[in-house]
Amino acid sequence: MNAQTLPGAAGNGASPDAEPILAVENLSASYGAVRALDNVSLAVPAQGLCAVLGANGAGKTTLLRTLTGLHRASSGRVLLEGEDITRLPTEKVITRGLAHVPEGGGVIVELTVEENLRLGGLWRSDRRSSTTFDEVMDLFPPLVERRTKTASTLSGGERQMLAIGRALMGRPRVLLLDEPSLGLAPLVTKQIFTLLRDLRDRIGLTVVLVEQNAAGALSVTEHGYVLNQGSVAAEGPSDGLLADDRTRHAYLGF
Amino acid sequence: MNYFITLTLNGLASGAAYAALALSLVIIYQATRLVNFAQPALALLSVYTAYTVTQLTGSYWLGFAAALTTGLLVGAFVERVIVRPIARTSQLNAIIVTLGLLLVVQGAVGMIWGNEQHGFRYAFSYVGRFSPADVFSLVAVGVVALLLFGLYRFTPLGLRMRAAAFHPEAARLSGVKVGLMLTAGWGIASLIGALAGMLAGPPFISPNVFDVVFVFGITAAVVGGLDNPFGAVIGGLLIGLGMSYVSGFVGPELATLTALAIVVIVLSVRPDGILSRPTARKV
């Protein structure tokens, strides 16, 4: 099964030399009797922008949740910078440098904008924490004036920014994003995608972007994986996937 | 007029104990959606510990400190060892278990210390209207409420605890140890419950001394809005005042009915309590 759906995965055409910063090896996960992930393998190079695409129920969200320990893997491994993090509890995974912005952002609407951001950096408990706060504020000017307001007053786009900002407060190496474009206007979506690219260029962040908006995600990333019914149905350079009519029609629906 | 002021002060003083007990219920409910029926039992254990420590050392304040410490530790223990494994299966099971715990602890206290009443020496005189003991009640609960507010609002621990209560998954994704925050919350809640016990229990304590107080405490929590700490304080004071006025102007036999009347009136106007959820988000 794995061998058929993952041609060339063992050699990993994307970055033949560099060891991937995030490696997923034959990862499987289930909800009761339903297998949500079936032998999924990915290799994300450091400072790469990687898209994970697929229809509803293809396993994209489960993949991210399993990576950060919110869902338990039934088999397989997750390696972050060569270290096995598969069985670590979520709060430990985060401190290893893997941040996860869940679907909808997971902003805590009862807390203020500033409290949400500070929360993301609390575990660091080092002096740099306040510089990070200023840096994050600089990235998102709309949040500055809302600083003392509760997050419930923010628009969808602002919430997504806050969620990303909170994740950045922990100075992660790898950022996992679950459908940041969900419910956002196309222009705002574009801003967020552009921001991801900026972050990679400026602070060397590695990004794994889960999206249903396949065209948008492929245009901003370098490499893409297409999930179908819990396994990798296709993978390759983003422009290649974008140009490949068969993959597009079969899995991406455009 | 003078009489009215006395009744008001008296009402506030007895309301302070209800407010503290309501606070201890609300802190846990807010974090876990669980009404902790074992709260009076934990207070009972704390107050009897204080009784023994005071007997041995002759110092009320050592006993007082022992009560708060016992509350903190026993609350944390109950969450970690008894409630959490059961809450995983079902929330309702956990609530029933706290109810069972209440009965077990009351029984155990009776076995250890005896079922008869003990006189518990008090640090302040409680004779007269608005006695020094009443003043102490009001001040102690006021200070605790302020400290609690400060803890939640201004400290990293408080921020973690609120995050864990509002949105456990987002908290975990921000590196918060949610389980530890729950344990801390139960500890703090039971510490405040122990304080309520020290204020409401003496001069006489017995295994069932908190039954009535607990009814008023939970009434106060419901009136104030079960998930709002400010509401708990307001609810407690309101119940205390209402009962004081009615027993002073009408007759003490109607005092308990007053609490019921306050619940009916408040909940028919504001079904979620005085400070219901939307307001809670603003604070």
Side-chain angles (χ1 to χ4, degrees), chain A residues 52-74:
Chain A
V52 177
L53 311 168
N56 254 335
K60 305 185 301 293
T61 296
T62 305
L63 172 64
L64 293 197
R65 292 179 65 83
T66 310
L67 293 184
T68 43
L70 290 172
H71 190 78
R72 194 207 297 250
S74 46

Side-chain angles (χ1 to χ4, degrees), chain B residues 210-254:
Chain B
F210 294 130
D211 288 2
V212 177
V213 184
F214 179 61
V215 170
F216 295 139
I218 203 165
T219 307
V222 170
V223 165
L226 253 179
D227 57 9
N228 190 310
F230 292 98
V233 174
I234 292 172
L237 297 180
L238 198 64
I239 299 274
L241 283 175
M243 286 172 50
S244 175
Y245 290 144
V246 168
S247 62
F249 289 123
V250 189
E253 65 279 2
L254 288 178

Side-chain angles (χ1 to χ4, degrees), chain B residues 37-220:
Chain B
F37 285 103
Q39 201 60 264
L42 305 183
L44 194 67
L45 210 53
S46 307
V47 171
Y48 268 94
T49 306
Y51 169 74
T52 300
V53 170
T54 302
Q55 291 251 304
L56 291 177
T57 62
S59 160
Y60 173 82
W61 294 109
L62 277 181
F64 190 81
L68 300 193
T69 314
T70 307
L72 182 74
L73 296 179
V74 174
F77 175 83
V78 165
E79 190 280 330
R80 191 67 194 85
V81 178
I82 300 174
V83 172
R84 195 185 302 181
I86 293 158
R88 252 183 234 131
T89 61
S90 135
Q91 196 75 338
L92 185 61
N93 289 357
I95 294 173
I96 300 296
V97 162
T98 65
L99 201 52
L101 199 59
L102 170 65
L103 302 177
V104 170
V105 172
Q106 278 187 338
V109 166
M111 283 163 65
I112 299 168
W113 281 281
N115 281 314
E116 71 280 5
Q117 278 196 342
H118 292 286
F120 191 164
R121 198 176 65 88
Y122 206 39
F124 301 96
S125 157
Y126 44 83
V127 264
R129 296 184 170 148
F130 206 56
S131 60
D134 287 342
V135 177
F136 175 66
S137 280
L138 260 182
V139 171
V141 174
V143 167
V144 163
L146 279 178
L147 284 177
L148 193 67
F149 175 75
L151 170 78
Y152 273 124
R153 203 76 172 74
F154 300 114
T155 69
L157 174 66
L159 180 54
R160 285 191 179 96
M161 289 176 71
R162 280 187 295 155
F166 289 135
H167 203 325
E169 188 173 293
R172 294 181 69 196
L173 285 175
S174 302
V176 175
K177 295 185 179 100
V178 171
L180 192 63
M181 294 305 116
L182 284 185
T183 308
W186 273 71
I188 291 169
S190 302
L191 181 152
I192 296 173
L195 171 71
M198 290 301 284
L199 300 177
F204 297 106
I205 56 172
S206 66
N208 291 89
V209 67
F210 294 130
D211 288 2
V212 177
V213 184
F214 179 61
V215 170
F216 295 139
I218 203 165
T219 307

